[in-house]
Amino acid sequence: MRMYFCGSIRGGRQDVAIYQRIVRKLQEFGLVLTEHVSHADVSERGEDVELQGDLAIHDRDMQWLHTADVVVAEVTQPSLGVGYEVGRAVDMQKKILCLFRPSSGQVLSAMIRGADDGSPNSFVQVRDYAEDEVETVLDTYFSTFSSTV
């Protein structure tokens, strides 16, 4: 299974430790195309921005998104890029899991939360979680997802 992981880069790197936990867990289920999002050495400027440029990063990431079987987005840290990726994934009719930590004090955008219609078969599923339960949330999601691929 090919997974596209979304997490804030230019919107802030406060959650990189949780991104690392998520990516490690996702790697148990298959290939994480965007594991670099979890790398501690990626700054708010992004990776290789001077070498590749924004257009190259956009095009590469959109290609990865097209080839992904599922999208997992950590949406606690507000990020224009993550919102864009989720929107494009919705347009591509990808299965999407959005993870949000209410304990952050943030309020999740209605455009993300409202994309989950509440049905078990919704393409977009939003899960609120606490940091100590993120692996369990992923296990639960992927146990049902694997039977529908």
Side-chain angles (χ1 to χ4, degrees):
M1 180 180 324
R2 293 175 312 272
M3 293 161 282
Y4 189 100
F5 173 68
C6 309
S8 176
I9 294 179
R10 292 186 183 177
R13 299 295 289 160
Q14 301 89 313
D15 290 340
V16 72
I18 193 73
Y19 298 167
Q20 291 167 348
R21 288 180 60 188
I22 292 168
V23 167
R24 276 194 303 273
K25 186 63 178 177
L26 291 176
Q27 288 171 329
E28 295 178 16
F29 304 111
L31 176 65
V32 181
L33 300 167
T34 54
E35 73 175 82
H36 67 279
V37 173
S38 72
H39 295 172
D41 61 345
V42 173
S43 74
E44 290 180 10
R45 291 262 310 136
E47 30 70 64
D48 299 331
V49 71
E50 291 82 18
L51 300 176
Q52 297 179 21
D54 292 344
L55 177 61
I57 291 170
H58 172 274
D59 291 350
R60 176 202 64 196
D61 289 4
M62 288 301 99
Q63 180 58 40
W64 283 338
L65 189 58
H66 276 287
T67 65
D69 299 304
V70 63
V71 174
V72 175
E74 211 302 336
V75 295
T76 304
Q77 176 62 37
S79 166
L80 292 171
V82 172
Y84 178 81
E85 290 165 323
V86 169
R88 293 294 301 264
V90 167
D91 191 50
M92 294 176 200
Q93 298 184 335
K94 301 284 182 181
K95 290 270 196 181
I96 306 161
L97 173 63
C98 294
L99 301 169
F100 179 74
R101 290 187 326 280
S103 65
S104 69
Q106 301 281 3
V107 177
L108 183 58
S109 167
M111 296 305 291
I112 299 293
R113 191 168 301 279
D116 182 344
D117 67 15
S119 75
N121 296 322
S122 178
F123 278 102
V124 178
Q125 302 214 357
V126 177
R127 296 290 176 269
D128 290 347
Y129 75 100
E131 282 190 47
D132 64 345
E133 57 190 22
V134 70
E135 289 88 356
T136 303
V137 170
L138 292 167
D139 277 333
T140 301
Y141 179 77
F142 280 95
S143 70
T144 60
F145 180 80
S146 62
S147 64
T148 63
V149 174

